Amino acid sequence: MADLEVYKNLSPEKVERCMSVMQSGTQMIKLKRGTKGLVRLFYLDEHRTRLRWRPSRKSEKAKILIDSIYKVTEGRQSEIFHRQAEGNFDPSCCFTIYHGNHMESLDLITSNPEEARTWITGLKYLMAGISDEDSLAKRQRTHDQWVKQTFEEADKNGDGLLNIEEIHQLMHKLNVNLPRRKVRQMFQEADTDENQGTLTFEEFCVFYKMMSLRRDLYLLLLSYSDKKDHLTVEELAQFLKVEQKMSNVTLDYCLDVIKKFEVSEENKVKNVLGIEGFTNFMRSPACDVFNPLHHEVYQDMDQPLCNYYIASSHNTYLTGDQLLSQSKVDMYARVLQEGCRCVEVDCWDGPDGEPVVHHGYTLTSKILFKDVVETINKHAFVKNEFPVILSIENHCSIQQQRKIAQYLKGIFQDKLDLSSVDTGECRQLPSPQSLKGKILVKGKKLPYHLGDDAEEGEVSDEDSADEIEDECKFKLHYSNGTTEHQVESFIRKKLDSLLKESQIRDKEDPDSFTVRALLKATHEGLNAHLKQNLDVKESGKKSHGRSLMANFGKHKQKTPKSRSKSYSTDDEEDTLQNPGKEGGQLYRLGRRRRTMKLCRELSDLVVYTNSVAAQDIVDDGTTGNVLSFSETRAHQVVQQKSEQFMIYNQKQLTRIYPSAYRIDSSNFNPLPYWNAGCQLVALNYQSEGRMMQINRAKFKANGNCGYILKPQQMCKGTFNPLSGDPLPANPKKQLILKVISGQQLPKPPDSMFGDRGEIIDPFVEVEIIGLPVDCCKDQTRVVDDNGFNPVWEETLTFTVHMPEIALVRFLVWDHDPIGRDFVGQRTVTFSSLVPGYRHVYLEGLTEASIFVHITINEIFGKWSPLILNPSYTILHFLGATKNRQLQGLKGLFNKNPRHGSSENNSHYVRKRSIGDRILRRTASAPAKGRKKSKVGFQEMVEIKDSVCEATRDQDGVLRRTTRSLQLRPVSMPVDKNLLGALSLPISEAAKNTDGKENYLVQI
């Protein structure tokens, strides 16, 4: 951050003075909402990685990671400070620490201004150092901190020494299941000082290295070093070229690797890489599964905006749910710096003529529109200069609309000036490159027929805020002495019970589909609405359901909702617009429209992002229309007219936003809409979970700039994304993924017994996410009682029809008798995978990783479906028709079946019984402790001719259940030795049974 630059150059004396004060601790008052201030001792831990305080009832949670601090502000700037009386505290003694994904604030008051200044300076210095780190330095720092913290937590009596019993307890916590005799032997070898029977921190580091010796990496090193315990420069170069598929490998590069990663000074002098250095190199970002080149912008940025997926946020200002959570301007700063390029601003009339931002008809807090614009202006282009789209939801009166326009022009200034933007060919949107440093206002625009002299006019009022159902609104009527606080307290309790009842949490379990599980209070209203729709359909009224734009325009008749708007309704006749062959047929629906008044000043700020309703689209040659859909309406369009939808998205932009029933701010599955070419798929960035992980992974490529180029097939021409073979003329990609081992896999985060629980039994699941035909899962066997260094050595094979939009999701699970517990995940775009031996670090976990080997081949020509994707073609063997396949694949989309299907209630929830879960566990989980056996040629023929069983998850993803045994190509001695001959000496293990050396064979 720009404001941290000055802190990088503090004098060493000043830095040490700040650190000394902070580590000694300072008594401060901690302000909390609704309570008096609490006096606590705040201190920086000895590693300078955590801010802690005491006393605290939750001692383990009483900490803030320096890495998680977003910013530190001086004075009384936070909302909690603003609630305090003006003269209560000296502003020079006050400061606020904002941290975490939800911008939580820690509001502190010191006894004098000097202490406050010391803490602010020290914290900003630490934040500046972290922001300046490269990935290698951060990896090393987090590893060192993890080892030190592990030692301290194991040191129960705090004497700085670990005895053998504490080591045994630590081994259990680390999920290591070694014989006590082996542990004692390593303990004695590491215990070299005079104080026998205990390990100092330095001795513990030796013990930990012995315990962590990677046999898989050691065997890999041996296979390239002619069975020596080190690699020469030439041997390292050969390994990088052959296995890691690196081009332009020079001797200087190899010497630099040795200099950076080798720990032995003797080896450095000899220019060789030993096992410790090789391990450090293989665990470094240089051998991460994600292509390091994709950390920078590498795609063509000169194509029209409609050719890109654009990272988009919904309800950007909210920190939590849509009913009661806080609105904060800092959420805009956070999402913009995360790479989001389209933010939402809900504008409403505020007091004193000042427009405010909040979620209408709810108890979410309000923030000033002016503050939002200033925050966006400050942070929009800190991380990258590609354009930001401001999605304005306008609910204001004409007077406050003019104030909005005034703030936008006054604060953004030339960032709004698009007069010099090059649009390239006629009737084409400008490119991200040509719009660098610009802010686009997405909103309503006055119709052309009004003329330029009209001060105001009427426009259709179709936006996401109007999707709020009446049942979800708060209409507060105080009576009998009821106060606003009592009403809020009642609503908060009601919301908490609803959240618990419906279990609305975005986890890996596909049953947690919140649109269907949410709000029992609105259930009757929903059923009445569904019944009304069915009655209308059965009454024989004219339906345009088979046309694309008819689906676009299915709107419910609504009543006026705000006195600050002027509405009118017009009767429209059914008129058919034919914009040409490419656009498909656009129908105008016969219905009563609702309108609102819009001022000229605000309308003129909208240039390339004009919000339009489906029935207003005409082929008048203009560009820059943005069509908005809720997820439920968009789902209908994708299911019924996906190809026409894709053609529309080749010329204009489409924004998809979450259903209003997601009051918990959960997220829908963005995949179906990306598959149809929709650019602005808006998610709740404040809600962590599977969907945000997928979104984050998609946009991490291309320098995390918020723009990802769509595949060429989506930009020109068309195809059916729901087809069984959508691109028959294109080559497919075959992913051969060997899952070798795991490292330091922790117990599941919600483990019932925490560290005292059983050692985990891990297995790895790999999921392909993309077009429906590509979506598939496969998994390894279960390894018993080992989370520290489990070995699977299994090969999973997938075929991908459209790799440009596919993602590969690695998940680690802990097997248990009635199901599985989620341990961790990492999702990577298929195009960012790097071939060779790679570590997949699990997101959010310091040391946990899985070690894999990746090979990607191209498959040309017309291939048998069995060869392409065995799990997909099971349906052919079972006699399933194409229609039945596609019906099953519908589960990939928001599970809202069309009316008339067997599940015509879109809020239907299937609950699994315990017996059902056990059956599913035995059907889909790999056999615990399953042994691999060698298969002869004749057996392989028989297995290939047999048909394995396949099941579908409840989200429609094909899951391979009983995978046939297969011969795996030998890529290194690990294949044979790690599973079958771990007890053999290295010299024996490196040879075949006939005595010949087993050299590495490239997959």
Side-chain angles (χ1 to χ4, degrees):
M1 296 181 196
D3 58 341
L4 294 178
E5 287 295 322
V6 65
Y7 291 93
K8 293 179 183 177
N9 301 317
L10 292 177
S11 66
E13 297 79 17
K14 188 167 187 177
V15 168
E16 283 309 312
R17 187 165 64 251
C18 289
M19 295 300 114
S20 175
V21 170
M22 293 165 70
Q23 288 178 322
S24 299
T26 304
Q27 276 203 334
M28 293 185 258
I29 297 174
K30 174 186 174 186
L31 282 188
K32 293 186 71 175
R33 183 179 285 106
T35 63
K36 293 182 178 179
L38 306 171
V39 178
R40 296 288 183 264
L41 178 69
F42 289 84
Y43 62 96
L44 184 68
D45 73 348
E46 63 175 293
H47 312 301
R48 302 180 180 180
T49 60
R50 288 174 172 78
L51 170 63
R52 310 202 67 150
W53 59 91
R54 60 174 185 262
S56 173
R57 287 177 296 177
K58 303 174 183 176
S59 58
E60 266 309 302
K61 294 187 177 181
K63 62 187 177 187
I64 295 174
L65 292 175
I66 301 298
D67 283 20
S68 73
I69 296 178
Y70 166 68
K71 72 172 180 178
V72 179
T73 59
E74 306 176 40
R76 300 161 41 92
Q77 295 191 38
S78 75
E79 181 188 355
I80 290 180
F81 273 124
H82 287 163
R83 291 189 177 190
Q84 299 290 326
E86 190 67 38
N88 278 4
F89 307 108
D90 179 1
S92 62
C93 296
C94 303
F95 67 99
T96 301
I97 300 170
Y98 292 94
H99 61 99
N101 290 335
H102 298 285
M103 288 295 171
E104 300 137 274
S105 66
L106 177 62
D107 301 277
L108 301 173
I109 306 158
T110 60
S111 56
N112 60 71
E114 181 61 30
E115 287 179 339
R117 169 53 44 198
T118 298
W119 274 87
I120 292 167
T121 301
L123 288 171
K124 288 191 173 183
Y125 170 79
L126 293 171
M127 293 165 62
I130 289 170
S131 68
D132 207 32
E133 276 183 336
D134 61 22
S135 55
L136 177 59
K138 184 169 185 178
R139 168 72 63 205
Q140 188 60 47
R141 176 174 61 84
T142 55
H143 172 75
D144 294 344
Q145 290 169 359
W146 183 86
V147 173
K148 184 69 174 174
Q149 183 186 347
T150 300
F151 176 82
E152 290 173 350
E153 290 177 357
D155 182 15
K156 302 298 184 185
N157 57 9
D159 62 356
L161 300 169
L162 296 185
N163 58 37
I164 189 66
E165 192 52 44
E166 288 172 324
I167 287 291
H168 283 308
Q169 292 175 12
L170 175 61
M171 301 289 273
H172 187 82
K173 180 181 177 181
L174 294 177
N175 290 302
V176 183
N177 188 14
L178 285 175
R180 294 177 77 91
R181 174 183 55 78
K182 180 68 175 174
V183 175
R184 182 170 292 277
Q185 179 186 338
M186 290 192 297
F187 184 95
Q188 291 170 350
E189 288 181 28
D191 188 8
T192 55
D193 65 3
E194 297 177 357
N195 192 9
Q196 292 291 298
T198 57
L199 300 182
T200 63
F201 175 67
E202 291 72 22
E203 290 172 331
F204 170 73
C205 290
V206 175
F207 173 84
Y208 181 76
K209 283 181 181 178
M210 293 165 56
M211 184 177 70
S212 308
L213 181 64
R214 293 275 301 277
R215 196 170 181 86
D216 51 359
L217 291 180
Y218 191 46
L219 292 172
L220 180 56
L221 180 143
L222 287 175
S223 67
Y224 267 90
S225 67
D226 194 21
K227 298 190 293 300
K228 301 189 302 290
D229 63 355
H230 61 263
L231 289 171
T232 65
V233 175
E234 293 76 13
E235 289 165 345
L236 176 59
Q238 181 72 358
F239 169 75
L240 296 178
K241 291 174 186 174
V242 174
E243 282 297 348
Q244 306 301 82
K245 304 299 183 188
M246 291 177 61
S247 57
N248 302 321
V249 177
T250 64
L251 293 182
D252 285 340
Y253 176 82
C254 296
L255 288 170
D256 190 50
V257 168
I258 294 171
K259 180 181 175 182
K260 277 185 179 178
F261 297 101
E262 180 54 54
V263 294
S264 165
E265 291 300 326
E266 183 182 351
N267 284 350
K268 283 183 180 180
V269 171
K270 295 178 180 177
N271 287 331
V272 297
L273 193 65
I275 181 59
E276 281 191 61
F278 185 64
T279 301
N280 290 340
F281 172 65
M282 293 301 294
R283 285 181 63 82
S284 76
C287 293
D288 189 76
V289 70
F290 186 85
N291 190 336
L293 298 178
H294 291 188
H295 288 299
E296 306 295 332
V297 175
Y298 71 96
Q299 294 180 343
D300 177 11
M301 304 303 288
D302 287 311
Q303 298 189 30
L305 278 180
C306 52
N307 286 8
Y308 296 85
Y309 298 113
I310 305 172
S312 306
S313 166
H314 177 249
N315 288 345
T316 312
Y317 47 88
L318 290 181
T319 59
D321 67 75
Q322 297 182 26
L323 294 185
L324 298 165
S325 70
Q326 296 296 308
S327 304
K328 290 185 179 178
V329 295
D330 291 310
M331 292 302 291
Y332 288 94
R334 187 200 127 203
V335 303
L336 286 167
Q337 293 189 67
E338 280 184 11
C340 180
R341 296 287 90 183
C342 178
V343 295
E344 185 179 38
V345 187
D346 284 338
C347 305
W348 300 80
D349 280 353
D352 305 320
E354 288 290 333
V356 295
V357 174
H358 77 116
H359 202 49
Y361 312 109
T362 69
L363 294 179
T364 58
S365 62
K366 300 177 177 65
I367 52 180
L368 290 175
F369 175 81
K370 180 183 178 183
D371 293 344
V372 169
V373 176
E374 287 176 341
T375 301
I376 293 171
N377 186 56
K378 182 179 179 182
H379 296 278
F381 306 113
V382 170
K383 291 294 178 72
N384 78 79
E385 294 186 2
F386 289 106
V388 170
I389 299 172
L390 212 62
S391 183
I392 300 284
E393 299 288 354
N394 177 16
H395 306 271
C396 293
S397 61
I398 290 292
Q399 292 77 12
Q400 296 211 12
Q401 285 181 35
R402 292 195 175 104
K403 203 70 173 283
I404 288 173
Q406 176 188 330
Y407 284 136
L408 290 173
K409 289 186 285 190
I411 295 170
F412 289 146
Q413 297 183 7
D414 61 345
K415 295 185 180 75
L416 293 178
D417 181 13
L418 305 179
S419 58
S420 61
V421 172
D422 178 20
T423 57
E425 299 175 16
C426 184
R427 298 176 61 180
Q428 178 176 285
L429 286 169
S431 68
Q433 186 68 31
S434 65
L435 288 167
K436 269 190 169 183
K438 298 297 183 182
I439 292 177
L440 305 180
V441 176
K442 172 187 165 293
K444 297 290 181 183
K445 198 165 181 63
L446 290 175
Y448 294 100
H449 64 75
L450 283 181
D452 294 338
D453 56 341
E455 292 285 327
E456 59 187 60
E458 289 192 341
V459 294
S460 66
D461 184 38
E462 309 287 349
D463 56 39
S464 61
D466 286 336
E467 292 297 314
I468 302 173
E469 302 296 338
D470 286 337
E471 302 98 298
C472 299
K473 294 179 186 174
F474 290 150
K475 299 172 183 175
L476 302 179
H477 300 286
Y478 306 124
S479 58
N480 301 326
T482 305
T483 66
E484 182 178 355
H485 177 73
Q486 288 172 318
V487 173
E488 181 175 347
S489 176
F490 169 77
I491 294 170
R492 193 175 293 279
K493 288 177 182 176
K494 181 70 175 173
L495 174 64
D496 287 342
S497 67
L498 286 170
L499 295 177
K500 288 174 184 175
E501 259 182 56
S502 55
Q503 296 178 334
I504 44 181
R505 287 292 177 265
D506 185 14
K507 290 188 177 179
E508 290 297 329
D509 187 350
D511 281 343
S512 64
F513 187 74
T514 57
V515 170
R516 298 176 305 149
L518 210 65
L519 274 182
K520 283 191 175 182
T522 67
H523 200 64
E524 291 180 3
L526 280 170
N527 282 340
H529 172 65
L530 290 172
K531 185 176 185 300
Q532 181 183 1
N533 278 2
L534 289 172
D535 290 342
V536 169
K537 209 168 189 177
E538 290 167 2
S539 66
K541 289 190 177 181
K542 188 173 181 180
S543 170
H544 296 289
R546 301 183 66 84
S547 76
L548 175 66
M549 286 302 163
N551 292 321
F552 282 7
K554 287 183 180 177
H555 296 283
K556 297 185 290 292
Q557 180 64 34
K558 295 173 186 161
T559 55
K561 297 181 180 178
S562 172
R563 280 180 285 179
S564 65
K565 292 185 182 180
S566 300
Y567 294 110
S568 65
T569 56
D570 302 316
D571 286 330
E572 289 185 354
E573 298 178 357
D574 284 358
T575 58
L576 172 65
Q577 303 285 340
N578 187 355
K581 296 179 181 177
E582 288 190 0
Q585 290 183 330
L586 313 184
Y587 288 88
R588 187 166 297 216
L589 302 180
R591 64 180 194 81
R592 294 177 66 82
R593 294 184 56 203
R594 225 171 47 124
T595 61
M596 62 168 288
K597 284 189 175 180
L598 176 69
C599 74
R600 169 67 64 185
E601 293 96 316
L602 193 52
S603 170
D604 286 347
L605 297 180
V606 178
V607 182
Y608 295 112
T609 44
N610 176 27
S611 294
V612 294
Q615 67 273 8
D616 292 329
I617 294 179
V618 292
D619 187 29
D620 59 1
T622 60
T623 58
N625 290 331
V626 183
L627 202 56
S628 288
F629 291 120
S630 74
E631 57 176 292
T632 46
R633 290 179 187 164
H635 171 66
Q636 293 174 332
V637 179
V638 167
Q639 290 290 297
Q640 297 172 17
K641 291 288 179 181
S642 57
E643 292 182 65
Q644 289 93 323
F645 200 11
M646 192 177 296
I647 290 173
Y648 174 83
N649 289 326
Q650 291 172 3
K651 294 292 180 69
Q652 308 285 4
L653 299 175
T654 301
R655 181 175 182 266
I656 313 295
Y657 54 85
S659 162
Y661 286 101
R662 295 184 180 273
I663 59 167
D664 63 328
S665 292
S666 62
N667 283 311
F668 60 88
N669 181 7
L671 198 66
Y673 313 112
W674 288 335
N675 289 346
C678 299
Q679 300 87 355
L680 300 160
V681 182
L683 298 184
N684 291 296
Y685 271 57
Q686 71 271 28
S687 300
E688 191 50 60
R690 173 184 168 90
M691 302 314 168
M692 265 309 296
Q693 289 161 1
I694 290 172
N695 188 78
R696 189 159 53 236
K698 185 175 188 70
F699 288 101
K700 185 176 181 182
N702 204 31
N704 198 34
C705 73
Y707 287 85
I708 298 292
L709 190 61
K710 294 197 292 188
Q712 195 59 33
Q713 300 94 324
M714 284 188 178
C715 300
K716 291 182 180 177
T718 187
F719 65 91
N720 183 0
L722 303 179
S723 168
D725 190 7
L727 301 163
N730 289 34
K732 283 79 175 170
K733 294 280 188 182
Q734 182 189 51
L735 172 64
I736 302 173
L737 183 69
K738 186 187 304 178
V739 182
I740 300 170
S741 61
Q743 295 77 44
Q744 298 166 33
L745 305 175
K747 291 180 174 63
D750 51 358
S751 176
M752 186 180 297
F753 298 104
D755 293 337
R756 296 177 290 109
E758 290 184 355
I759 293 173
I760 67 171
D761 307 321
F763 67 94
V764 177
E765 180 178 70
V766 180
E767 179 182 2
I768 304 296
I769 301 170
L771 292 181
V773 68
D774 291 334
C775 289
C776 186
K777 298 179 182 179
D778 205 353
Q779 55 201 19
T780 67
R781 63 189 174 88
V782 174
V783 171
D784 294 338
D785 296 332
N786 189 349
F788 190 75
N789 55 359
V791 174
W792 293 285
E793 264 295 314
E794 293 198 44
T795 301
L796 313 178
T797 305
F798 304 92
T799 299
V800 182
H801 291 68
M802 183 172 269
E804 297 90 342
I805 62 169
L807 298 106
V808 183
R809 188 164 169 83
F810 301 88
L811 301 110
V812 178
W813 299 93
D814 175 23
H815 172 275
D816 66 50
I818 62 168
R820 55 184 182 176
D821 291 321
F822 176 68
V823 175
Q825 68 83 36
R826 173 85 177 275
T827 308
V828 182
T829 53
F830 189 98
S831 56
S832 295
L833 291 177
V834 191
Y837 288 98
R838 304 288 165 184
H839 279 92
V840 182
Y841 280 92
L842 303 184
E843 197 173 85
L845 300 175
T846 306
E847 291 290 295
S849 65
I850 52 179
F851 187 48
V852 300
H853 184 278
I854 293 172
T855 304
I856 299 174
N857 299 322
E858 277 200 339
I859 302 176
F860 292 91
K862 190 170 183 179
W863 287 72
S864 158
L866 179 60
I867 297 172
L868 290 183
N869 214 339
S871 56
Y872 165 71
T873 56
I874 295 308
L875 293 172
H876 290 273
F877 289 111
L878 297 177
T881 65
K882 183 176 180 181
N883 289 336
R884 286 174 59 194
Q885 293 172 36
L886 296 182
Q887 185 177 6
L889 289 168
K890 279 201 308 182
L892 282 169
F893 297 82
N894 298 343
K895 301 172 189 173
N896 285 334
R898 300 177 207 169
H899 302 313
S901 69
S902 58
E903 294 177 43
N904 55 11
N905 184 352
S906 64
H907 289 250
Y908 166 81
V909 182
R910 177 184 172 186
K911 295 185 177 179
R912 285 205 306 260
S913 66
I914 291 180
D916 190 14
R917 289 190 68 191
I918 293 174
L919 286 174
R920 184 183 178 199
R921 178 72 242 153
T922 55
S924 64
K928 193 170 180 179
R930 187 182 77 204
K931 298 290 185 183
K932 284 280 184 180
S933 60
K934 294 183 179 180
V935 183
F937 176 77
Q938 186 58 39
E939 291 170 293
M940 282 299 297
V941 172
E942 293 171 1
I943 290 168
K944 279 188 176 181
D945 289 342
S946 66
V947 178
C948 61
E949 183 184 355
T951 61
R952 284 186 187 276
D953 275 357
Q954 295 184 16
D955 54 2
V957 177
L958 288 159
R959 178 187 290 279
R960 304 175 195 175
T961 56
T962 309
R963 290 188 295 109
S964 59
L965 298 175
Q966 55 188 329
L967 286 176
R968 299 193 309 278
V970 177
S971 66
M972 63 180 242
V974 178
D975 288 275
K976 293 184 177 180
N977 296 331
L978 278 183
L979 291 179
L982 283 179
S983 60
L984 293 176
I986 292 296
S987 59
E988 292 297 321
K991 295 183 179 181
N992 286 324
T993 53
D994 58 1
K996 295 181 180 178
E997 292 175 358
N998 181 12
Y999 290 103
L1000 185 99
V1001 178
Q1002 170 64 25
I1003 293 180

